[in-house]
Amino acid sequence: MANELTEFVLVSVALLGIGIYGLSVKRNAIRMLFAIEIVINAANLNMVAFGRFLPHSGGQTLALFSIAIAAAEVAVGLSLIIVAYRMYHNIDIADFRSLKG
Amino acid sequence: MADAAFLALSVITIGSAIAALELRSLVYGSIALMGTLGGIAGFFILLDSPFVAMFQLAVYVGSIAVLILFTVMLVKRELIFKKVEDKRRKFVGIALMLVFMVALGAVILDSGIKQITTDEPAVDFREIGDDFLTYYWPALILMGLILSGAVTGALVLARRVDEENGQRVN
Amino acid sequence: MATDAMGLPFEATSAAAWLVWILPFVAALIMPAVGKASKNLTGYVAVGFALMSALSAASLIPVALDASEIHHQISWIEAIGLKGGVLADPLSVIMANVVGWISFLIMIYSTGYMKGDKDITRFWFWMMFFIGSMQIIVLSDNLLQVFFGWEGVGLASYALISFWYRDKKKDHVGTEGRTVLGLLDYYAPTHAGMKAFIMTKVGDVMMIAGMLLIFLFAGTFGFKELMGDLGWAEAMSAQGLLVPAFVLLFGGAVGKSAQFPLNEWLLEAMTGPTAVSALIHAATMVKAGVFLVARIGPIVFALAAAGIMAEQFFEIIAWVGAITALLLATQGMVNQEIKKVLAYSTGSQIGYMMMALGVAGLSHQYVDGYTAGFFHLISHAMFKASLFMAAGSLLHVIGSRFMSDMGGLRKHMKKTYAFMWAAGLGLMGAPFITTGFWSKDAIFAAVYESGSEWALPLYSIAVLTAVITTFYTTRMMGLVFFGKKSKHIEKMEEEGHHVHEASLSMWVPYGILAVLTIGIGLIGFSAEANIHHMFTEYLDHSFGIHTEHVESGESFLPAPLDGLNPIALGSSLVAFSIGIGLGYIFYIGRWVDPVKFVNSNIFFYAIHKVMLNRWYLNAIIYWCFVVAPLWLARAVFRYFERTAIDYGMNDGFQKAAGWGAKVVQGTQTGVTQSYLFVFGAGLLFVVLILLI
Amino acid sequence: MLEITSTPLVIIAILGVAGVILPVINVIRKEKGSNSFYAVIAFAALIISIGYVGYQFLTDNVLPSALFSEDVIVDDAFGGFFAIAMLIVAIFTTVGSFNYMRKHNYPAIYYSLILLSTIGMVLVAYSTDLIMLFVAWELMSIPTYALVGFIKRNPQSNEAALKYFLFGALSSAIIVYGISLTYGITGSTNIGEIIQGYSNLDPGLLPLALLSVGMFVAGFGFKMGLVPFHQWLPDTYEGSPPTITTLLAAGTKKAGFAATIRIVVLGMVVLNLDWTLALGILAIMTMTIGNVAAIMQKNLSRMLAYSSIAHAGYILIGLAVSPYSSLGLQGSLFQILNHAVMKGMAFIAVAGIVTTLAVTNLDKLKGLGRKMPITSLGLVISLLALAGVPPLAGFWSKLMLFGGALDAGGALWWAPWLAIAGVLNSALSLAYYGWIMRRMYFEGETEKRVSEPKSVIAVVVFSIIFLVGFGVYPDPIIKFVEYATPIVSLGLMP
């Protein structure tokens, strides 16, 4: 391999950090969804990288499952956002705080 | 050492990830997200996993990103370009991100992970298929159930019918 | 399996021991159905079942007389080798009879006292539930089962204290509007129930901790099994856990028996119906603590023979008892509510019993203190139940809980007057004719002869308390029955209500107990000697605690009193005379006005005030454990959950930036971003503590 | 090899077919058909499943616990135990919904999603492979996102669902990340092989192992409601339909524990790391914050939500001391089953109150004891059992948990403190349970009795029998728990 495992893992850690940053800062629901996608991709990258260096097929398998599950998750998440949008005409998560205390 | 392709992909992936979150317009943001997802697919190719890379492109770039793009276009124009943020929250968030990266990076660099190298050839993707059918087959069934559940759930939620009159008519 | 020491058919005797507590539960279970059929029927069912339970207890008496025992076990939780069972030995048989018969009498009393109450079914349900749980405590052969009964009586006590949950004014205790340290000294039934529940729960928590500690070392909860192999005690002793474990167990007793510092709930428990006060908060449940100490005390004492010392355990018991006895007696001197005076007196007398059981372990003659404490338990159960029931009929007739609303009643309620004197004399310990005298005297003697380094201070406290006890009992009698009629009574009579004797079903039960107080008192010395003998054999059989037969040397006392300790006898007589003399001066003869007397001197005034304010103990407990934690909870809620997370991140900055009121009105939490931020930070935190 | 008759596969088949067929029937019948029709189908499927689990146990077709398998799932007692607990919860939810769903749309989809989520919960406990576990985890989670937001007209339901979804998505990503690290250092996703890999691990890779433990704890801890991953929980429990809250509080939460026991506890014991201390700290934080926050609540659902956070803390005690005391882990399992019944019944009772009186605010529950006597009785029994008052089943599990903590005191100096914290917290919790009881029975004047939903009564009666019956005679259940508890202790691992 031309590249080292560490490098891939570091890229993945960077993406994980960015994703968590996005989730704890952004207020727009769709943007938060972006952040989640970034975190999931970071994990997938990690998985495939480890799988390549072992080498073992499990990494790719999990990545495949993870991608498919992310698709399902995003479908449900988006529909929730659409319901929220119909109700409030707004998708600012920080404004949804009737439940508190 | 990392080669040029790796460096370029890293820059594209991380850069467009930041752009996806920071660009003012949600539309450009989702296009930048496609960049990140594509970059990850590139990494997969670098890691000799073309099958996953194709899947990534097909599912993510092809469907998820498009789905998001459509949703973005569904909502009002003002919302697409409005970007309200609490500056203080942002600084704290950036601090958290940096601490996160430094801490996790330090742990990873500190560990013996550097010694893991391999000269063996990559896994043949036919092996993945084998795995699926012999070892992971219950998981595949569950995967099917997940998709069916997600689709019915999402459809019910997103439906508009008889929303207004409220009560279900028996 | 069962040991059948008596030669009786095994099934019959052990079945009787089971029935003692199962019957009341059966009654409780069928009570709702009976209540649905006919409310009048509930009383008969309750009395009937109480009688059957008492008769079952009585059928066990031969066991006690033989100083033998019935131990019958069934498998309960095989998985951890736990068995349930009944253990009928002299200790538990006597106790079961005391509980059974007194509760039977109180049940009869209740049929009159609670007549016409629309929640009568609930009352009977909880009363029967209570009797069943109490008999579980008494007859169990292991600590865990005791704990089940323990919680059961706690629950019943809670439900019955707050029985009149509508919190009408007449059901409160305390004086409306009076404050101590800024807190109202006035409690509604529901508040009182809650207070009792939580305060005794503190004790329960300690008790279960102690039980668990012992179980971890001994692998059993059974009393018999604990005496089998003492290896567990050695192991615990080696780790310094033996005394803490038993002191924790004693903590449960402190809570249930209203001993210092968990004594305050007993006073507010008087919000319950008087029948409840008589049964639960005077005659039985509060004795559960004493009973527990009597159950485990011999085990601890027997350990000493094996070289495992745990003297501190007994010292703590003795001192807690002494402090409680004095503390509550002093408060009883100044209170105006008749039931509260009796409640203070109850706590104080239980202090006596604890003291006796404590010094027993400090002396060489364990059986002396043990007998004294237990004998006092029996005699106290009789006269205090009688006094409470009598007080209940006063309340019933007068319609007020304040003694200042009574007065001059001796002509109108002759029977109650006579019976209250009899029972009151028992409480005072009137020489030679009452059970109270003999039992108290036995305690004095036991303390005096214990040979412990604490004997003298404990003895002084005991005698001082006896003086006070006599004084406040006389005061109570004086205030209620002597002097002029109060304005309240006069007003009642103007309105056409006549002060009259209570109904038959009410005065007969307390009459019986009052007569017994005197009757047994007349043969008191030999009664005590019999119990002493019984316990001597019991302790020897079951615990191997031998009692040396001390030849009573040349006593200068006359023959019937031979064997009594002359010093104890003397101080008992002196204490009685001083107390009743002072009481007569102030409250019966009314030669000196007590109010003027107290106000005449700043010193008396201050003492009176401190006593009236319950030594500030109640207020301090409330400040420390109720008011302050509520503040804290609010503060945590406001500053942590609401502000700290979001203020720093969101509103604080916006406020600082002057973005105006919009932000202030936008409430703080519910913001998902902050939650997610905490999630991320939490992940880091977990990784951090893992890496350290 | 996996037998085709092994319990997990049969459960997948029964519930999966029912879950997929329900929406199809709905479409065929052109969205007509009553709520009860679909509910009966779902109920029948669940009853058949639980019957099958019981049958497998009775015919001794179940492996003892703690066996790792070559396959992705194993039909062992541990999984069976959780399967029973989860199926009971799903039955509660379905029965409770008989009444609740009458007023809402799309019952077919609703029951179908419940069935799918139940498969996920059950399979989490049966998994012996990380990928399988992850997929089952997602099958459990994704339908519940939709279920929480099912009442589309209710803004709170939607808000609750969004919060829950964002947390859930993040935590599942974190779990994948943890899996990838574990996989990277051991070279397999099968838990048995992972344990093999750990036992001869290069010491240099130890920090990565710890990192993955941290990620698992955070990812599963979100479902369990551990502090500081708990903040979504009160909001979501309050906002979601109360029947679904039952599923979350009594079901998915327990699946989190099943996963933690399978991965963290089983897997990390061989590493002989100090991860127990981290769990201990989390346990104390969780108990304390849950109980303190509950005291101030004005809403019944929310108070119960905080109480279930606190209970996660108690259960975690057993996990934290598991390498040194088997009693602790048994207590955890027992408590999990108890808590499933107690909280399940409590939230179904709340659902009954919501459908008949449409209130959950504590101030408006005055005199509930006379309005709805059976529901109130159930609520009281469940609260007393939650507080651990004997003779209810909750007493025994707490006794075992605290006993386990004391038992481990010989090896872990801090373990007795867990017991002390737990006991103090139990005492604290009585304050707010007592508050609810006081509201229900000792306040209000003359309320008329209203008719209570029959489905709620059924759940309440079953639970009371369970809690009192196993409180008085807990022997069978303790034996079952002993049988189902994997042997986790140092030196006994392969």
Side-chain angles (χ1 to χ4, degrees):
Chain A
M1 282 294 294
N3 301 293
E4 286 175 27
L5 175 57
T6 324
E7 294 157 1
F8 289 100
V9 178
L10 285 181
V11 170
S12 145
V13 165
L15 286 174
L16 178 65
I18 292 170
I20 286 179
Y21 154 79
L23 277 170
S24 58
V25 171
K26 298 299 163 189
R27 299 174 53 156
N28 188 311
I30 294 181
R31 236 185 254 278
M32 293 176 86
L33 222 51
F34 291 178
I36 284 175
E37 290 307 319
I38 292 171
V39 177
I40 293 174
N41 274 285
N44 288 349
L45 175 58
N46 219 5
M47 202 72 210
V48 176
F50 275 121
R52 171 68 188 88
F53 279 84
L54 281 171
H56 186 268
S57 61
Q60 296 190 41
T61 316
L62 180 58
L64 290 175
F65 275 118
S66 171
I67 290 168
I69 284 170
E73 235 169 18
V74 166
V76 176
L78 277 175
S79 62
L80 283 172
I81 292 174
I82 287 173
V83 174
Y85 176 73
R86 274 191 207 137
M87 216 154 7
Y88 298 102
H89 296 282
N90 186 6
I91 47 172
D92 188 342
I93 293 284
D95 285 349
F96 301 166
R97 46 175 170 177
S98 66
L99 297 164
K100 60 180 177 267
Chain B
M1 264 318 288
D3 57 11
F6 178 86
L7 285 178
L9 275 174
S10 311
V11 171
I12 290 174
T13 313
I14 296 178
S16 58
I18 296 173
L21 294 176
E22 294 299 330
L23 280 178
R24 198 166 189 80
S25 155
L26 265 182
V27 180
Y28 293 140
S30 37
I31 292 168
L33 183 67
M34 287 189 193
T36 311
L37 304 176
I40 297 282
F43 278 124
F44 289 162
I45 291 174
L46 274 190
L47 288 164
D48 304 323
S49 315
F51 185 66
V52 187
M54 270 158 59
F55 199 70
Q56 166 96 356
L57 284 176
V59 175
Y60 260 120
V61 186
S63 66
I64 300 184
V66 172
L67 196 59
I68 292 180
L69 200 55
F70 271 119
T71 317
V72 166
M73 290 173 172
L74 263 176
V75 302
K76 293 190 286 204
R77 269 186 73 79
E78 309 93 88
L79 287 179
I80 296 174
F81 296 104
K82 200 169 76 177
K83 191 175 161 202
V84 194
E85 250 170 36
D86 319 315
K87 284 231 174 77
R88 174 145 177 173
R89 186 193 292 285
K90 187 166 183 175
F91 295 141
V92 180
I94 289 175
L96 176 70
M97 172 176 82
L98 292 177
V99 172
F100 218 96
M101 289 177 180
V102 170
L104 262 58
V107 170
I108 285 163
L109 288 175
D110 190 42
S111 69
I113 195 175
K114 272 185 191 154
Q115 292 128 31
I116 301 180
T117 48
T118 180
D119 297 320
E120 290 174 50
V123 179
D124 188 359
F125 61 81
R126 265 169 297 209
E127 239 175 79
I128 303 172
D130 261 6
D131 269 3
F132 268 128
L133 292 180
T134 55
Y135 183 69
Y136 288 117
W137 63 272
L140 266 185
I141 299 175
L142 291 202
M143 194 65 235
L145 294 175
I146 291 183
L147 290 176
S148 98
V151 168
T152 47
L155 277 180
V156 161
L157 285 177
R159 259 180 109 157
R160 236 178 219 285
V161 192
D162 66 55
E163 188 82 342
E164 280 71 29
N165 60 359
Q167 296 292 314
R168 193 167 73 91
V169 195
N170 271 334
Chain C
M1 281 315 285
T3 50
D4 188 13
M6 299 176 46
L8 285 171
F10 146 79
E11 291 82 5
T13 43
S14 61
W18 285 99
L19 281 179
V20 171
W21 64 263
I22 289 175
L23 281 172
F25 277 122
V26 172
L29 277 181
I30 61 171
M31 202 56 80
V34 176
K36 216 155 224 177
S38 151
K39 284 210 167 157
N40 296 329
L41 205 60
T42 51
Y44 296 109
V45 172
V47 171
F49 272 90
L51 177 64
M52 285 198 281
S53 165
L55 283 174
S56 314
S59 75
L60 294 169
I61 288 180
V63 180
L65 294 179
D66 283 10
S68 62
E69 64 181 29
I70 295 174
H71 187 202
H72 183 232
Q73 286 185 317
I74 54 161
S75 97
W76 188 15
I77 305 167
E78 283 169 33
I80 46 176
L82 209 60
K83 286 180 175 172
V86 286
L87 175 61
D89 53 10
L91 180 73
S92 55
V93 169
I94 297 176
M95 187 74 185
N97 277 291
V98 170
V99 171
W101 288 105
I102 289 189
S103 52
F104 166 63
L105 289 176
I106 293 178
M107 287 298 179
I108 294 177
Y109 175 81
S110 308
T111 53
Y113 188 79
M114 299 300 289
K115 201 172 217 160
D117 196 297
K118 69 182 174 107
D119 291 325
I120 189 80
T121 314
R122 184 157 54 95
F123 177 82
W124 291 121
F125 172 82
W126 283 113
M127 283 299 243
M128 295 317 287
F129 184 87
F130 168 81
I131 297 174
S133 305
M134 185 68 202
Q135 296 286 28
I136 288 187
I137 296 182
V138 174
L139 287 164
S140 292
D141 75 331
N142 65 72
L143 275 170
L144 194 67
Q145 213 176 322
V146 167
F147 189 73
F148 271 56
W150 203 261
E151 293 292 304
V153 294
L155 204 62
S157 161
Y158 164 70
L160 286 168
I161 291 172
S162 7
F163 183 74
W164 284 316
Y165 62 85
R166 289 188 176 83
D167 288 351
K168 286 179 194 147
K169 224 169 225 178
K170 74 175 179 62
D171 304 328
H172 283 54
V173 297
T175 316
E176 201 172 354
R178 219 175 85 81
T179 57
V180 179
L181 291 185
L183 297 169
L184 271 184
D185 191 23
Y186 184 60
Y187 296 92
T190 52
H191 182 154
M194 203 67 189
K195 183 177 176 183
F197 194 55
I198 291 173
M199 266 185 135
T200 52
K201 200 78 201 168
V202 174
D204 294 355
V205 166
M206 289 163 78
M207 177 170 165
I208 194 140
M211 274 167 51
L212 269 182
L213 267 177
I214 293 172
F215 180 74
L216 283 178
F217 282 88
T220 176
F221 288 111
F223 297 119
K224 299 295 287 178
E225 287 85 349
L226 282 177
M227 280 308 296
D229 173 21
L230 297 180
W232 59 275
E234 274 166 30
M236 283 183 93
S237 181
Q239 295 200 23
L241 283 174
L242 186 67
V243 174
F246 278 101
V247 169
L248 280 171
L249 266 187
F250 176 59
V254 167
K256 203 59 86 188
S257 288
Q259 297 293 289
F260 177 80
L262 297 176
N263 53 354
E264 294 297 339
W265 65 267
L266 183 61
L267 294 317
E268 273 70 51
M270 296 302 133
T271 51
T274 308
V276 171
S277 311
L279 178 61
I280 300 186
H281 305 116
T284 56
M285 182 186 85
V286 289
K287 306 284 170 58
V290 181
F291 181 78
L292 183 72
V293 174
R295 258 279 182 245
I296 58 176
I299 299 178
V300 183
F301 191 78
L303 292 180
I308 307 160
M309 291 305 190
E311 266 170 18
Q312 296 94 325
F313 173 65
F314 291 108
E315 282 173 2
I316 289 172
I317 294 178
W319 273 107
V320 166
I323 293 171
T324 316
L326 184 64
L327 192 74
L328 291 184
T330 55
Q331 297 175 35
M333 285 200 302
V334 296
N335 208 284
Q336 282 297 331
E337 291 164 63
I338 184 164
K339 279 177 75 178
K340 258 175 122 176
V341 170
L342 290 173
Y344 281 121
S345 156
T346 304
S348 164
Q349 296 299 310
I350 293 172
Y352 263 128
M353 300 167 206
M354 290 287 186
M355 197 191 333
L357 291 176
V359 293
L362 298 174
S363 75
H364 298 294
Q365 295 285 48
Y366 186 75
V367 69
D368 286 355
Y370 193 75
T371 311
F374 206 73
F375 187 39
H376 197 53
L377 186 154
I378 300 168
S379 62
H380 178 257
M382 291 191 296
F383 61 68
K384 192 51 70 61
S386 173
L387 279 173
F388 257 110
M389 287 192 273
S393 53
L394 288 173
L395 257 65
H396 203 71
V397 172
I398 305 295
S400 163
R401 62 183 181 276
F402 292 102
M403 288 192 283
S404 54
D405 288 342
M406 302 171 186
L409 286 175
R410 66 181 184 280
K411 294 191 189 82
H412 297 280
M413 300 177 73
K414 290 208 178 83
K415 294 191 194 87
T416 306
Y417 175 61
F419 293 142
M420 259 187 112
W421 260 125
L425 283 174
L427 175 58
M428 292 187 236
F432 308 121
I433 55 162
T434 58
T435 52
F437 168 76
W438 299 108
S439 56
K440 207 179 275 184
D441 189 67
I443 292 177
F444 283 2
V447 176
Y448 186 79
E449 289 170 357
S450 69
S452 146
E453 50 180 322
W454 302 112
L456 205 60
L458 287 174
Y459 188 71
S460 332
I461 291 179
V463 174
L464 181 59
T465 308
V467 175
I468 299 173
T469 307
T470 319
F471 174 76
Y472 67 65
T473 316
T474 320
R475 169 177 177 265
M476 180 183 79
M477 296 303 294
L479 283 176
V480 173
F481 292 105
F482 292 86
K484 279 187 296 191
K485 279 182 191 168
S486 70
K487 285 191 187 118
H488 179 80
I489 296 181
E490 279 171 3
K491 205 174 129 210
M492 270 176 64
E493 286 183 344
E494 273 168 29
E495 285 167 5
H497 297 289
H498 213 61
V499 179
H500 56 87
E501 191 62 73
S503 66
L504 186 75
S505 62
M506 285 168 76
W507 68 258
V508 165
Y510 60 80
I512 291 177
L513 287 173
V515 168
L516 276 179
T517 305
I518 302 286
I520 299 183
L522 290 173
I523 55 157
F525 187 59
S526 60
E528 197 216 329
N530 280 330
I531 298 179
H532 191 280
H533 177 70
M534 193 190 293
F535 278 147
T536 308
E537 282 195 17
Y538 162 61
L539 290 172
D540 194 8
H541 274 229
S542 302
F543 303 97
I545 300 173
H546 298 289
T547 308
E548 299 156 37
H549 284 280
V550 188
E551 287 300 317
S552 49
E554 300 97 77
S555 172
F556 56 86
L557 289 167
L561 301 177
D562 191 19
L564 284 184
N565 183 318
I567 296 181
L569 184 65
S571 37
S572 179
L573 291 175
V574 171
F576 177 75
S577 331
I578 298 179
I580 202 165
L582 283 176
Y584 192 85
I585 292 171
F586 284 114
Y587 296 103
I588 296 183
R590 309 240 171 165
W591 300 335
V592 183
D593 183 0
V595 181
K596 274 189 196 144
F597 179 75
V598 164
N599 288 336
S600 67
N601 184 320
I602 182 71
F603 179 65
F604 291 141
Y605 178 78
I607 289 187
H608 180 262
K609 177 107 186 164
V610 168
M611 288 176 187
L612 197 58
N613 288 344
R614 305 161 73 165
W615 292 83
Y616 296 99
L617 198 62
N618 189 46
I620 291 169
I621 288 175
Y622 263 79
W623 273 107
C624 294
F625 295 107
V626 180
V627 182
L630 273 182
W631 279 355
L632 192 71
R634 274 191 204 115
V636 166
F637 179 64
R638 191 174 300 145
Y639 295 108
F640 181 74
E641 284 286 329
R642 274 218 177 135
T643 326
I645 292 168
D646 252 80
Y647 184 84
M649 312 248 324
N650 193 357
D651 293 357
F653 174 77
Q654 289 172 336
K655 255 186 223 159
W659 280 4
K662 181 195 154 209
V663 186
V664 185
Q665 90 191 91
T667 32
Q668 283 95 353
T669 39
V671 180
T672 320
Q673 280 78 9
S674 336
Y675 295 180
L676 288 163
F677 176 82
V678 173
F679 186 101
L683 176 57
L684 268 180
F685 170 73
V686 169
V687 171
L688 208 71
I689 50 178
L690 277 169
L691 283 172
I692 285 169
Chain D
M1 276 305 291
L2 276 173
E3 297 280 334
I4 200 72
T5 55
S6 74
T7 325
L9 291 180
V10 173
I11 290 179
I12 294 180
I14 299 171
L15 297 184
V17 167
V20 172
I21 245 171
L22 274 176
V24 176
I25 297 177
N26 192 31
V27 171
I28 291 173
R29 295 177 58 151
K30 305 214 171 103
E31 301 188 2
K32 281 174 197 158
S34 64
N35 162 54
S36 3
F37 172 73
Y38 301 114
V40 165
I41 295 180
F43 180 71
L46 289 166
I47 288 288
I48 294 171
S49 309
I50 202 168
Y52 192 74
V53 178
Y55 168 77
Q56 290 283 73
F57 266 111
L58 291 178
T59 51
D60 273 336
N61 281 330
V62 180
L63 296 170
S65 280
L67 279 185
F68 313 106
S69 81
E70 317 243 300
D71 286 301
V72 288
I73 40 182
V74 63
D75 185 7
D76 70 348
F78 178 81
F81 177 84
F82 275 92
I84 288 176
M86 309 298 182
L87 288 169
I88 288 176
V89 172
I91 290 171
F92 275 19
T93 312
T94 314
V95 174
S97 306
F98 263 93
N99 200 275
Y100 183 81
M101 277 311 284
R102 237 169 242 164
K103 292 182 182 161
H104 299 284
N105 293 320
Y106 308 118
I109 313 285
Y110 173 89
Y111 291 113
S112 141
L113 291 178
I114 288 180
L115 292 180
L116 293 180
S117 180
T118 309
I119 302 177
M121 289 191 256
V122 172
L123 264 288
V124 164
Y126 275 117
S127 305
T128 52
D129 184 283
L130 292 184
I131 292 182
M132 181 67 195
L133 191 128
F134 175 67
V135 175
W137 181 266
E138 289 300 320
L139 177 58
M140 166 181 90
S141 303
I142 291 176
T144 53
Y145 301 147
L147 283 171
V148 170
F150 210 75
I151 314 299
K152 284 189 281 179
R153 278 166 286 117
N154 182 351
Q156 291 204 332
S157 167
N158 181 251
E159 181 185 336
L162 269 176
K163 283 178 177 170
Y164 180 41
F165 167 73
L166 288 168
F167 258 84
L170 175 60
S171 72
S172 59
I174 299 280
I175 292 171
V176 181
Y177 215 97
I179 292 177
S180 74
L181 289 173
T182 311
Y183 167 67
I185 53 183
T186 59
S188 174
T189 56
N190 185 299
I191 293 180
E193 286 173 35
I194 286 172
I195 289 171
Q196 293 281 339
Y198 273 147
S199 52
N200 35 34
L201 188 70
D202 177 6
L205 291 172
L206 214 59
L208 282 186
L210 284 170
L211 198 58
S212 67
V213 175
M215 296 215 163
F216 285 136
V217 169
F220 297 133
F222 136 83
K223 270 273 166 23
M224 295 186 270
L226 303 186
V227 173
F229 315 112
H230 70 291
Q231 284 189 304
W232 62 281
L233 190 145
D235 292 5
T236 300
Y237 282 18
E238 186 188 345
S240 68
T243 46
I244 298 308
T245 311
T246 311
L247 198 68
L248 294 183
T252 62
K253 188 180 186 113
K254 305 302 158 347
F257 282 102
T260 314
I261 293 172
R262 278 269 192 224
I263 300 187
V264 177
V265 174
L266 285 186
M268 305 303 152
V269 164
V270 269
L271 282 179
N272 200 5
L273 304 170
D274 218 2
W275 52 273
T276 49
L277 179 62
L279 290 191
I281 293 174
L282 287 186
I284 290 185
M285 278 168 52
T286 307
M287 283 187 271
T288 315
I289 290 186
N291 277 324
V292 167
I295 289 178
M296 300 299 295
Q297 296 310 319
K298 291 269 183 281
N299 183 303
L300 185 55
S301 311
R302 210 172 172 81
M303 191 178 259
L304 290 173
Y306 276 113
S307 137
S308 76
I309 293 178
H311 273 265
Y314 299 135
I315 299 173
L316 203 60
I317 291 178
L319 268 60
V321 301
S322 55
Y324 303 96
S325 164
S326 59
L327 189 61
L329 199 56
Q330 288 167 20
S332 287
L333 254 64
F334 194 2
Q335 177 80 352
I336 283 169
L337 183 59
N338 275 339
H339 190 252
V341 175
M342 300 185 286
K343 269 284 148 55
M345 170 189 9
F347 277 114
I348 290 297
V350 172
I353 296 168
V354 168
T355 35
T356 38
L357 305 174
V359 288
T360 50
N361 193 311
L362 277 177
D363 289 330
K364 294 190 177 144
L365 293 181
K366 281 182 186 169
L368 189 76
R370 285 175 292 285
K371 273 187 212 160
M372 305 176 72
I374 298 175
T375 313
S376 307
L377 179 69
L379 209 47
V380 165
I381 297 267
S382 92
L383 293 178
L384 289 177
L386 283 169
V389 172
L392 297 170
F395 169 74
W396 295 104
S397 50
K398 272 196 184 166
L399 195 72
M400 286 165 80
L401 278 173
F402 301 155
L406 289 178
D407 193 23
L412 301 168
W413 60 269
W414 44 265
W417 289 101
L418 289 178
I420 293 169
V423 169
L424 290 179
N425 267 296
S426 302
L428 181 63
S429 66
L430 263 179
Y432 57 88
Y433 295 142
W435 179 248
I436 301 178
M437 289 180 230
R438 183 181 162 166
R439 273 283 137 89
M440 291 194 303
Y441 285 99
F442 295 150
E443 283 177 17
E445 270 300 315
T446 48
E447 285 82 6
K448 283 270 152 28
R449 187 171 171 170
V450 297
S451 76
E452 298 168 74
K454 294 218 169 44
S455 55
V456 175
I457 292 180
V459 171
V460 164
V461 168
F462 172 82
S463 312
I464 291 180
I465 292 172
F466 180 96
L467 292 174
V468 176
F470 286 124
V472 173
Y473 189 64
D475 192 38
I477 214 156
I478 291 179
K479 276 186 183 148
F480 182 34
V481 164
E482 251 176 14
Y483 179 57
T485 306
I487 297 161
V488 179
S489 86
L490 294 172
L492 281 173
M493 305 305 284

